[in-house]
Amino acid sequence: MSLIKNHKWTAALALALLISLGICIYSLAKVSGSAAGTGSGMRQWGGEGASFRSGERGVFPGNRNEAQAAGQQSRWEGGLQSTAGASDSSAEDGSGQGQDGGQQSEAPGDPQNAADGGGSGSGFTRPAGMNPGGFGSDSKYGTVLAVYAALFAGLLGAAFYYAKAGRLRINESRRGLLAFLLLAAGLCLKLAAAPWISGYRGDIRFFTTWAQEAAHGLGSFYENSSSDYPPLYIYILYATGKIVTLTHIEPFFLTLIKLPSIIADAVTAWLLYKAASRRLPFETALLIAGFYMFNPAVLINATFWGQVDSLFTMIVVAAVLAVTRRKLGWGAFFLTLSILMKPQGIIYTPVLLFALLRTGKLGPWFKAAAIAAVTTVLVALPFSAGKNPLWLYQLYSGTVNEYPYASVNAFNLFGLLGANYENSSSIFLLFSYHVWSLIFIASATILSGWYYLRSRSAAFALLSALLLISGVFTFSSSMHERYLFPAAALALLAYIYFKDKRLLWMAFGFSATIFLNTYAVYYGYTSRDGHVGFLLFFSALLNITMCILLVKVMLDLSRRQTTPNLEAVLLPERL
């Protein structure tokens, strides 16, 4: 008993981990038993043509190779019919909403939907959530998730209050073990929930067929699939496609799809803990790790939706941390991986360029360029057999131009102006939305570079990255609801390095807007008719306010960094 009393925190978290592990094992066992009893499995998630055991290639909704799939029909779960030979489609967003807010389903590839696309390269619209059997999500667990978010906010506020007041004391010698136990418990709980939440069905179906095609071979993947994702994530789908063919693994396919992102959440939380443990009290560092791991904005993205923004964010955090620590070679490596993961990685490129510019030498430029080139070639090489040398560039350009709208369900300035799904070439106050977007992107880049270069701290890379993603999301066109996702982690990192409480409030604020935006799209509370509801109004206004506040914070901190230390100037140099 005395041992438990002396190590009560370790004992409590160890017990929590054991309970979480038991729940996880029970949940996965139930999934296996249910699938064995009903004869379902991967086909439940992927629809016809999704079986990995038959050896036959399934029908791919929105196949880029129209000649291959022309005339074929795929019967999706719930009776949804789609023409497999539809023009380009993407799981990149999975958020295009029906006019009715999700009350009826629309078939991808339907000519009426294509006509309604407003010139989109996707050729179809995606219905909202709350659409059982349709392209979005079902309505399950919406209330539970909302209650969890409210409780989380209350507990988080209380925990940080007690930590600030000095009333939260953790007297443990093996502090790293406590962080591990906390994150491991969170990981087990997410894995327990993952197989029972259907995810955003359209994206899950795309990932299913892409994993199947990747398992047949990477060389022909882009010719035989509808994927517009860059190559890096395809490796993960390749591994998923191979693993799921093993005996008794097929019932866990949905869990396997979500598993990399759930693990990435834990890794990102661990990176935040390691950074905080060197600069902040242990109690605060543990709270930051727990805040990210159990954050509702993080939970809904991977565990509910089944998307890959967690993986992307993990790579971005590693890249910016490397630049912050002046390891520009590693920064170039991770930044290149982020671009090969998602095109949005290009947003963070100026951070590395600013750091290289501050060196004042050509050597780091050549080294970073060589690392980026070699990384790109190695990742893309297995997909490149028999292709045009510019195939990767064409893939990116097609993806970037796929959604020519002022906003794609993003709670930002253009969404606040009622321009959701308004063509980006439409005129607003002298210029088109697209031109305004370019002006805002240039302004955010110039501001982030100016503050970074005038400061003396390499840690300004964190603030520059945060301003770039928040500024581009809030004031740019063609933004989807999930593109702001890395802002929560970057705001926490910025707080860790600068200890400015305004940055901590921004981490809370960005977490709130990310959650509300994702929740609204996932459960179908968005529309394409320009209606500005309360969630959109509140979240967009908060995002705009935080961007302005961030500029003020960067101005204050840059002045603090450039102000000479008079004591150091007047006193003789210490030996």
Side-chain angles (χ1 to χ4, degrees):
M1 291 298 295
S2 60
L3 181 64
I4 295 179
K5 183 177 180 180
N6 294 333
H7 301 280
K8 58 182 178 181
W9 285 98
T10 302
L13 287 177
L15 179 60
L17 175 58
L18 288 176
I19 294 174
S20 302
L21 183 60
I23 295 173
C24 181
I25 294 173
Y26 175 78
S27 173
L28 295 178
K30 288 283 288 183
V31 170
S32 179
S34 299
T38 62
S40 62
M42 190 183 320
R43 191 176 299 274
Q44 177 183 359
W45 312 113
E48 294 279 349
S51 175
F52 279 66
R53 300 188 185 280
S54 64
E56 299 176 358
R57 302 192 180 195
V59 178
F60 298 91
N63 202 316
R64 293 184 181 276
N65 187 351
E66 296 187 15
Q68 176 188 3
Q72 296 180 346
Q73 296 287 328
S74 172
R75 184 182 182 277
W76 284 2
E77 177 190 0
L80 178 66
Q81 301 290 333
S82 73
T83 302
S87 54
D88 296 353
S89 59
S90 164
E92 166 58 31
D93 178 66
S95 58
Q97 308 302 312
Q99 297 278 4
D100 57 5
Q103 299 306 311
Q104 72 178 40
S105 64
E106 300 174 22
D110 185 89
Q112 181 178 356
N113 296 335
D116 186 54
S120 169
S122 61
F124 65 89
T125 58
R126 296 182 176 186
M130 302 181 71
N131 183 18
F135 204 80
S137 68
D138 55 37
S139 58
K140 293 180 179 179
Y141 311 113
T143 303
V144 174
L145 182 59
V147 171
Y148 169 78
L151 292 175
F152 176 83
L155 291 173
L156 175 72
F160 274 95
Y161 170 79
Y162 280 111
K164 179 182 177 182
R167 299 171 63 181
L168 179 63
R169 295 291 183 181
I170 302 178
N171 298 317
E172 298 279 357
S173 58
R174 304 183 65 180
R175 294 180 169 183
L177 177 61
L178 289 182
F180 171 79
L181 293 173
L182 177 67
L183 299 183
L187 180 66
C188 290
L189 290 175
K190 289 184 177 183
L191 288 178
W196 302 101
I197 304 172
S198 64
Y200 199 93
R201 297 185 177 190
D203 287 355
I204 297 299
R205 287 167 184 150
F206 277 113
F207 293 154
T208 300
T209 53
W210 295 355
Q212 179 184 15
E213 188 56 45
H216 282 98
L218 297 178
S220 59
F221 174 79
Y222 285 105
E223 287 80 5
N224 297 325
S225 77
S226 62
S227 177
D228 60 356
Y229 268 45
L232 187 61
Y233 183 58
I234 310 306
Y235 284 102
I236 297 175
L237 292 178
Y238 170 82
T240 302
K242 290 295 187 182
I243 292 172
V244 81
T245 59
L246 301 176
T247 306
H248 306 307
I249 298 298
E250 185 174 340
F252 304 104
F253 173 74
L254 183 62
T255 307
L256 288 174
I257 285 291
K258 297 178 179 181
L259 179 61
S261 293
I262 293 175
I263 293 176
D265 290 338
V267 173
T268 303
W270 180 258
L271 291 175
L272 291 171
Y273 165 75
K274 294 297 291 184
S277 62
R278 298 186 180 98
R279 295 167 180 84
L280 299 172
F282 169 72
E283 293 81 3
T284 305
L286 192 65
L287 281 176
I288 287 175
F291 166 67
Y292 189 83
M293 188 63 188
F294 295 94
N295 194 329
V298 176
L299 177 69
I300 192 174
N301 188 282
T303 308
F304 275 71
W305 191 307
Q307 259 293 345
V308 299
D309 300 277
S310 297
L311 276 168
F312 174 71
T313 298
M314 179 187 70
I315 300 172
V316 168
V317 166
V320 179
L321 275 175
V323 174
T324 298
R325 295 168 182 172
R326 296 186 176 88
K327 298 179 180 180
L328 302 187
W330 283 107
F333 172 71
F334 285 116
L335 181 62
T336 304
L337 288 183
S338 74
I339 298 173
L340 292 169
M341 180 75 191
K342 299 188 74 173
Q344 290 76 47
I346 298 172
I347 294 173
Y348 305 92
T349 304
V351 176
L352 177 62
L353 299 182
F354 299 149
L356 291 171
L357 189 60
R358 272 183 43 164
T359 63
K361 302 176 182 178
L362 289 178
W365 287 87
F366 289 119
K367 180 180 178 181
I371 291 174
V374 171
T375 303
T376 301
V377 170
L378 291 178
V379 171
L381 191 60
F383 301 88
S384 303
K387 289 187 179 63
N388 185 317
L390 298 177
W391 74 269
L392 192 57
Y393 169 78
Q394 294 167 353
L395 177 69
Y396 278 91
S397 61
T399 302
V400 171
N401 296 323
E402 191 168 5
Y403 294 94
Y405 302 112
S407 174
V408 188
N409 296 317
F411 287 0
N412 59 7
L413 174 64
F414 294 155
L416 185 62
L417 295 174
N420 194 35
Y421 278 95
E422 181 80 18
N423 197 293
S424 59
S425 61
S426 301
I427 301 299
F428 175 76
L429 296 180
L430 301 178
F431 303 117
S432 67
Y433 290 107
H434 180 66
V435 171
W436 280 116
S437 172
L438 295 178
I439 294 173
F440 287 131
I441 291 175
S443 301
T445 304
I446 292 171
L447 276 175
S448 63
W450 170 254
Y451 289 132
Y452 182 86
L453 294 175
R454 78 192 297 261
S455 71
R456 294 183 176 181
S457 172
F460 251 75
L462 296 166
L463 295 172
S464 294
L466 181 59
L467 180 60
L468 285 169
I469 184 54
S470 60
V472 170
F473 175 85
T474 305
F475 299 105
S476 181
S477 62
S478 302
M479 290 292 108
H480 302 257
E481 72 288 333
R482 293 175 290 102
Y483 287 3
L484 187 61
F485 186 83
L490 291 174
L492 286 172
L493 272 178
Y495 168 73
I496 290 169
Y497 274 81
F498 291 96
K499 303 179 182 63
D500 191 308
K501 293 179 181 178
R502 293 173 294 180
L503 293 169
L504 185 60
W505 283 109
M506 281 185 221
F508 300 157
F510 282 127
S511 296
T513 59
I514 293 166
F515 173 76
L516 292 175
N517 202 165
T518 310
Y519 186 95
V521 173
Y522 186 78
Y523 285 108
Y525 298 114
T526 57
S527 65
R528 297 182 57 179
D529 58 4
H531 174 70
V532 179
F534 173 76
L535 290 180
L536 170 55
F537 177 82
F538 172 79
S539 300
L541 204 58
L542 184 55
N543 282 331
I544 294 170
T545 303
M546 287 190 292
C547 282
I548 297 173
L549 177 60
L550 179 58
V551 173
K552 177 65 167 59
V553 171
M554 293 181 71
L555 175 62
D556 294 342
L557 292 177
S558 64
R559 285 175 175 173
R560 188 184 308 170
Q561 294 292 329
T562 54
T563 301
N565 188 329
L566 295 180
E567 182 181 0
V569 172
L570 296 176
L571 294 178
E573 181 179 359
R574 296 179 180 180
L575 296 177

